[in-house]
Amino acid sequence: MVHLRHITVKKGRSFILEDVSFHIGRGEFAFLIGPSGAGKSTILRVIHLDEKPTSGQLVLEGRDAAAFPSREIPLWRRRIGVIFQDFKLLRDRNVMENVAFALRVTGARRGTIKRTTLKALSTVGISHKRSAMPEELSGGERQRVAIARALVHEPHLLLADQPTGDLDPESADEILALLTDLNHRGTAILMATHDARLVQGPHKILRIESGKLLPDQHT
Amino acid sequence: MGYALREALSSLRRTGAGVLLSVGTIAMSLFILGIFLLVTFNLYGAVEQLRTRVEVEIFLKDGTTARQIAALKKRVAEMPEVQEVRYVTKEMAAEQFRTAFGENLLEAVPENPLPASLRIRLTEVHRSSEGAERVAKSVRKKPIVEEVAYGETWVRRLDQLILIFFAGDLVVGIAIASATLFVIANTIKLTVLARRESIEIMKLVGATDAFIRRPFFFEGLFQGFLGGLLAGIAIYLLHRIALLYLPHLVLIDGLYPALSLVAVGTLLGVVGSHKSLKRLLDSLG
Ligand SMILES: Nc1ncnc2c1ncn2[C@@H]1O[C@H](COP(=O)(O)OP(=O)(O)OP(=O)(O)O)[C@@H](O)[C@H]1O
Ligand SMILES: [Mg+2]
């Protein structure tokens, strides 16, 4: 589904990513681990088409991303969800509005928005807090809201950038369980993390250090 | 389009105080521009008023025949500088003198001492010392002409005054206009930057740039228009008050400066939000 082939990202003279190649198949769950500054977020940004590789090829569902016209970029972004360590919720809107936001700004119809939002909220188990404002929620709950927002376009792939980085161990486990559950329903997941404790299960592990992928780390 | 309007309105509601502040800032800077426009428009009007008084008078020798006068009148009327020529007979001149200075003065002399004349009104572009002088020069040497007068000194002074006025006005105008542009562009930029987070998220979830832009178009339009309207109303009222205190001055209609402010505000609001949004979207990649 997503192929990175010899992807290199340079900023000025320094290599942020150097000759990174890997692939994520349909319904796969992969961990992306490595120290701070290794380039994990950069890889996710490349896949999300936020960062243009300096060289190398990115193939998305059989198509070369370099050939995407710029107006197709938003359409690709709707097919993959993203979540972050800092949740990126809008503080001035409640839970329901935050999730609905992703649909409203992509031109969905009102009826669809309501139905899809409620469904996403129930998938992540936060329906009961739908009128709460973000600051009234715990970190784990906020991340659930962010996940719900990422789900409204029914993505094939969910990019998670240290989603448990700000959470206590218990909430982190719950979020991982939720992601695993989504994965079982068919969503491929690429999760960047520092948290070695969470890296378990029959998942692909991509180790990255100073912009380079360490060889043969599959389990 | 429904989304964009609703989003613009709800964001205005959400950031109520901020919007008031930016509308107020826009109104204030446009108001200063408006004062400048009001002064300029009125000074310009006053100058035009003065210029219409530039008149060339050709005094004719006594005993000139009607034919000679007609011939001269025709010649003068054909000059490009001339808009209108009036023939003023000795009797008309005396009459005018009487109304201006009273009966008695003329009764003292045995016969009417005032000469007949041709009074020339110049066309608008030639109402200057050069224009008047050209007309004067072309007739001064004619045998039937006694003397030509157009108030040389004051016309020349008027010319200088106009030059200084327009040079000064231009400098001040450019300074005020740039300051206004700067203030409004920055005010609008701040309202766009205040929404940076939500714009970032819009891009994240796959909103198109066009979709992100639309509410900002309406917000910029609304803020610029409202700021312009407030400034316009203030300027209009100021003009009305000025009319009360300066009734002898010819003040031109305050509606034009007021309407210009609404137009400028709206335009700057739209262009400003478009530009700062474009810069932000480009930086977000
Ligand atoms: N726009 C940029 N310009 C220059 N250098 C950058 C830029 N963005 C990232 N970097 C550098 O690229 C490297 C990789 O950054 P990245 O954010 O991908 O690391 P990371 O693995 O996600 O780290 P962390 O675990 O701390 O989130 C870092 O050294 C960072 O300083
Ligand atoms: Mg990172």
Side-chain angles (χ1 to χ4, degrees):
Chain A
M1 186 167 53
V2 174
H3 286 265
L4 281 79
R5 293 187 183 132
H6 311 294
I7 291 291
T8 293
V9 172
K10 272 174 89 173
K11 288 276 149 96
R13 286 163 158 261
S14 61
F15 285 89
I16 312 293
L17 293 179
E18 194 173 350
D19 197 23
V20 171
S21 302
F22 67 88
H23 142 256
I24 295 174
R26 241 166 235 298
E28 195 168 14
F29 195 131
F31 283 111
L32 181 57
I33 58 175
S36 182
K40 303 181 294 295
S41 297
T42 307
I43 288 183
L44 299 185
R45 277 210 306 278
V46 166
I47 298 172
H48 198 245
L49 304 180
D50 285 336
E51 182 78 54
K52 228 181 161 64
T54 314
S55 66
Q57 193 186 32
L58 173 66
V59 179
L60 305 170
E61 298 187 334
R63 293 176 60 204
D64 187 344
F68 276 29
S70 58
R71 65 196 150 71
E72 263 189 48
I73 291 175
L75 302 182
W76 167 253
R77 287 183 183 150
R78 290 175 206 180
R79 314 184 53 170
I80 51 178
V82 265
I83 55 172
F84 299 89
Q85 180 171 357
D86 60 356
F87 323 121
K88 295 200 194 295
L89 298 178
L90 291 168
R91 274 161 298 168
D92 57 353
R93 301 175 197 230
N94 69 22
V95 166
M96 180 104 185
E97 287 164 345
N98 260 286
V99 176
F101 187 74
L103 288 161
R104 286 208 295 128
V105 301
T106 49
R109 302 195 172 282
R110 278 186 158 185
T112 319
I113 293 175
K114 182 123 197 249
R115 193 161 17 86
T116 313
T117 302
L118 289 173
K119 189 170 152 233
L121 287 173
S122 102
T123 303
V124 302
I126 199 109
S127 300
H128 57 293
K129 298 257 169 125
R130 62 173 170 270
S131 305
M133 299 303 279
E135 72 254 30
E136 298 161 5
L137 302 177
S138 72
E141 288 168 332
R142 287 183 207 187
Q143 195 58 288
R144 282 170 193 274
V145 177
I147 293 171
R149 184 179 65 195
L151 291 181
V152 291
H153 289 123
E154 300 184 348
H156 300 289
L157 170 65
L158 182 66
L159 303 174
D161 195 351
Q162 298 182 181
T164 62
D166 273 355
L167 303 182
D168 59 276
E170 201 175 315
S171 305
D173 288 343
E174 283 173 22
I175 292 298
L176 185 64
L178 174 57
L179 293 178
T180 309
D181 185 41
L182 292 173
N183 179 243
H184 287 152
R185 298 191 202 187
T187 311
I189 291 177
L190 176 58
M191 172 169 156
T193 186
H194 281 308
D195 194 346
R197 201 180 54 84
L198 295 177
V199 182
Q200 42 164 294
H203 303 319
K204 179 189 273 184
I205 298 175
L206 303 159
R207 284 176 209 279
I208 183 163
E209 231 164 73
S210 326
K212 282 184 235 160
L213 209 59
L214 302 181
D216 201 29
Q217 298 292 338
H218 296 220
T219 47
Chain B
M1 200 50 48
Y3 154 79
L5 261 178
R6 249 180 295 125
E7 181 61 27
L9 286 176
S10 82
S11 114
L12 289 174
R13 243 200 330 272
R14 233 185 278 278
T15 53
V19 171
L20 278 187
L21 201 67
S22 73
V23 167
T25 310
I26 292 172
M28 196 64 91
S29 62
L30 284 174
F31 180 68
I32 292 166
L33 180 69
I35 290 178
F36 169 77
L37 287 180
L38 203 59
V39 170
T40 298
F41 280 15
N42 279 301
L43 277 181
Y44 186 77
V47 162
E48 281 307 296
Q49 203 81 35
L50 282 179
R51 273 187 196 264
T52 59
R53 294 196 202 157
V54 177
E55 233 186 29
V56 181
E57 274 186 291
I58 304 173
F59 297 103
L60 304 169
K61 287 183 176 149
D62 281 354
T64 309
T65 66
R67 242 164 106 200
Q68 285 172 311
I69 293 168
L72 182 65
K73 188 178 173 192
K74 186 159 174 288
R75 261 206 50 154
V76 169
E78 278 164 1
M79 295 184 67
E81 289 87 354
V82 175
Q83 185 175 47
E84 186 192 15
V85 188
R86 260 173 326 123
Y87 175 49
V88 178
T89 62
K90 283 174 76 73
E91 290 70 34
M92 286 157 78
E95 187 56 43
Q96 280 173 14
F97 188 90
R98 267 188 218 107
T99 39
F101 303 105
E103 297 283 333
N104 313 341
L105 230 48
L106 269 188
E107 307 311 320
V109 285
E111 106 192 57
N112 181 0
L114 298 172
S117 64
L118 290 177
R119 292 207 184 148
I120 297 164
R121 182 194 282 276
L122 298 171
T123 54
E124 220 171 300
V125 283
H126 292 106
R127 276 172 204 159
S128 62
S129 54
E130 287 90 12
E133 181 54 34
R134 262 201 305 281
V135 175
K137 211 167 158 189
S138 72
V139 295
R140 201 171 272 140
K141 297 279 159 54
K142 298 272 183 248
I144 60 165
V145 173
E146 174 85 49
E147 199 193 335
V148 187
Y150 58 88
E152 283 91 334
T153 359
W154 90 262
V155 171
R156 211 167 291 129
R157 201 168 295 152
L158 180 66
D159 280 356
Q160 284 168 353
L161 207 70
I162 288 168
L163 199 70
I164 292 167
F165 161 60
F166 277 113
D169 195 67
L170 197 70
V171 171
V172 173
I174 288 171
I176 291 181
S178 346
T180 308
L181 193 73
F182 179 79
V183 169
I184 293 181
N186 266 293
T187 307
I188 295 277
K189 188 167 136 191
L190 285 179
T191 70
V192 170
L193 285 181
R195 308 258 314 277
R196 196 197 152 92
E197 235 182 351
S198 79
I199 294 170
E200 215 181 315
I201 292 169
M202 285 189 222
K203 292 208 89 162
L204 218 63
V205 299
T208 60
D209 281 4
F211 208 90
I212 295 173
R213 281 221 166 102
R214 259 178 266 152
F216 286 97
F217 171 82
F218 288 115
E219 272 186 68
L221 184 85
F222 175 80
Q223 291 183 22
F225 174 77
L226 206 61
L229 193 67
L230 287 180
I233 290 171
I235 281 297
Y236 190 76
L237 293 178
L238 184 75
H239 174 253
R240 276 308 179 80
I241 292 166
L243 274 180
L244 289 181
Y245 288 96
L246 308 166
H248 54 288
L249 273 187
V250 263
L251 285 176
I252 70 140
D253 202 335
L255 207 57
Y256 296 110
L259 288 178
S260 327
L261 292 187
V262 179
V264 169
T266 309
L267 188 76
L268 288 183
V270 170
V271 173
S273 80
H274 180 85
K275 289 216 154 172
S276 35
L277 195 60
K278 184 169 161 30
R279 206 163 305 144
L280 181 59
L281 286 175
D282 288 349
S283 79
L284 289 175

